[in-house]
Amino acid sequence: MGGNQADPAAPDRFADDPAFAVHEGGKLSVRPTRSIESIADLALTYTPGVARVSSAIAAEPALARRFTWAPRVVAVVSDGTAVLGLGDIGPAAALPVMEGKACLFSEFAGLSAVPVVLSTTDVDEIVEAVAAIAPSFGGINLEDISAPRCFEIEERLRERLNIPVMHDDQHGTAIVVLAALRNAAKVVGRELADLRVVVSGAGAAGVACTKILLEAGVGDIAVADSKGVLHVGRDDLTPVKQWLVDSTNEAGHAGTMADALRGADVYLGLSGGSVPEAVISGMAPNGIVFSLANPIPEVDPDMAARYAAVVATGRSDLPNQINNVLAFPGVFRGAIDAGAASITEEMKLAAATAIADVVGDDLRPDYVVPSPLDRRVATAVAEAVAACAREEGVTV
């Protein structure tokens, strides 16, 4: 008997945990859209009938959009190096997360999705692998790939492929943060251009959030990493962090994140750790605290509520959950419906506006962003993204 085989008489240590029951045998299956009940069905579904379709596509490749599933299927691709809350756990352990992501695509956008985990962390190998399988898909959702590699991987794939490519940890987070901040600013009677924002974290989400907030017109942003605020004079910067230095911190803050937060209007936490009460109490009156580390927010939500007008977290058991599921299903649905060759910055801004608008007249301090289960959101986002793609002329 092999030493790794389980004893059938031993108790199942997973039996009492409902999470394992949900994941037993995986969460996905592939089902045909046509039944095969006769020789005629077989001949049309496979050989010889399929040869006529394949020959037509070979002669006119654009027909693949009509006669294959590829344009309506998203690949959820990860190397398992930055899984939310778990870190670098590798491809096999990341697979249940990617399966879950595929379930969300189906549930909220009606898109099929296939999880693809890669047993390499090499940038060149990941780019080549994804490019090689791209003809089977209508979009590429990059997921849980660590920074700074994720920036180069996404950029190179966007340049190389003519289908939508998006690293959701960056842009999904950024879209929902902007949507929530638009509405939070309304709650406190401020314009985005008047806000002074401090971003804690210069990883994938921090960089993307900073970029989209700048594009949306936020007036003053300072970004801090583990060594303090990014500023001119730092000599330990990656190219991405150098871009942040060049594009933010007009006031020239050179100290700690806590120093920069004194008198600021918005705290955006994307880094983990803990922010003490004295720092939050030193923010401007009617402040906004988005503390998005999971499962433990950087700022205690109850404490934050004593000083801030609006508090948001990444937790599902608290109001104002910043959840990427509000963005990515509709973004890909809209991009695919429009036949977009890419997901542009304007399309992301349109998605954020659509999410914010779903809240509508129900806006209040504990409701600045819709529930992740609000079925109106994906439709609104898809329609806004598709319209923007057509207006920009990025369709193929």
Side-chain angles (χ1 to χ4, degrees):
M1 295 289 289
N4 293 328
Q5 292 186 0
D7 180 356
D12 183 354
R13 68 184 190 276
F14 304 118
D16 295 331
D17 188 332
F20 285 90
V22 168
H23 293 258
E24 184 85 43
K27 301 184 292 296
L28 301 172
S29 64
V30 177
R31 297 182 179 180
T33 61
R34 300 288 186 271
S35 61
I36 300 175
E37 299 177 352
S38 67
I39 292 297
D41 292 337
L42 180 62
L44 290 172
T45 302
Y46 196 49
T47 187
V50 72
R52 299 200 297 276
V53 180
S54 293
S55 297
I57 294 171
E60 191 177 342
L63 290 175
R65 184 168 180 83
R66 179 179 176 186
F67 294 111
T68 73
W69 81 333
R72 291 166 292 282
V73 182
V74 177
V76 181
V77 179
S78 181
D79 63 2
T81 55
V83 178
L84 181 64
L86 301 175
D88 185 355
I89 59 175
L95 187 54
V97 180
M98 305 312 128
E99 289 184 12
K101 191 86 173 201
C103 291
L104 299 181
F105 270 111
S106 175
E107 183 70 21
F108 292 102
L111 289 172
S112 296
V114 176
V116 178
V117 291
L118 302 174
S119 60
T120 177
T121 61
D122 181 83
V123 169
D124 292 335
E125 291 180 356
I126 291 174
V127 170
E128 291 303 321
V130 176
I133 65 172
S136 295
F137 301 99
I140 305 293
N141 182 113
L142 300 173
E143 189 78 14
D144 294 344
I145 299 173
S146 63
R149 296 176 309 116
C150 60
F151 303 119
E152 181 180 353
I153 290 168
E154 184 191 46
E155 181 179 0
R156 287 172 58 179
L157 287 171
R158 281 172 53 88
E159 291 174 351
R160 188 160 171 178
L161 303 179
N162 66 343
I163 58 175
V165 176
M166 188 174 84
H167 183 215
D168 183 51
D169 302 307
Q170 293 183 62
H171 307 296
T173 302
I175 289 166
V176 183
V177 163
L178 175 57
L181 188 58
R182 283 191 184 281
N183 280 340
K186 291 179 182 178
V187 168
V188 299
R190 305 285 297 278
E191 299 293 331
L192 290 180
D194 299 330
L195 298 177
R196 184 160 79 81
V197 178
V198 175
V199 178
S200 178
V207 172
C209 287
T210 300
K211 286 183 176 180
I212 202 169
L213 294 181
L214 288 171
E215 289 160 0
V218 170
D220 186 357
I221 304 178
V223 182
D225 63 7
S226 60
K227 297 180 180 179
V229 176
L230 298 175
H231 64 276
V232 174
R234 288 269 300 261
D235 57 3
D236 57 344
L237 302 177
T238 63
V240 171
K241 289 185 178 181
Q242 184 61 54
W243 179 89
L244 289 171
V245 167
D246 296 338
S247 305
T248 64
N249 195 13
E250 292 183 1
H253 296 287
T256 66
M257 186 276 295
D259 294 333
L261 200 56
R262 192 174 297 113
D265 302 296
V266 181
Y267 168 80
L268 174 55
L270 298 156
S271 61
S274 178
V275 181
E277 183 170 356
V279 174
I280 299 302
S281 67
M283 292 177 61
N286 284 325
I288 298 166
V289 172
F290 287 1
S291 187
L292 306 186
N294 243 330
I296 302 174
E298 300 94 336
V299 180
D300 177 79
D302 292 331
M303 178 269 286
R306 292 200 289 270
Y307 304 99
V310 179
V311 178
T313 71
R315 294 178 59 114
S316 60
D317 58 345
L318 294 172
N320 294 331
Q321 185 191 14
I322 307 298
N323 192 319
N324 289 19
V325 76
L326 291 167
F328 70 82
V331 169
F332 274 95
R333 174 90 256 181
I336 287 172
D337 285 351
S342 62
I343 296 170
T344 67
E345 299 307 310
E346 288 299 322
M347 291 160 70
K348 297 170 196 171
L349 291 171
T353 299
I355 294 169
D357 287 348
V358 169
V359 171
D361 294 336
D362 294 325
L363 177 66
R364 57 182 186 269
D366 64 349
Y367 184 56
V368 298
V369 69
S371 162
L373 298 180
D374 191 326
R375 300 295 172 150
R376 299 173 296 169
V377 175
T379 299
V381 171
E383 290 175 352
V385 167
C388 184
R390 296 183 182 106
E391 289 171 6
E392 286 193 284
V394 297
T395 58
V396 293

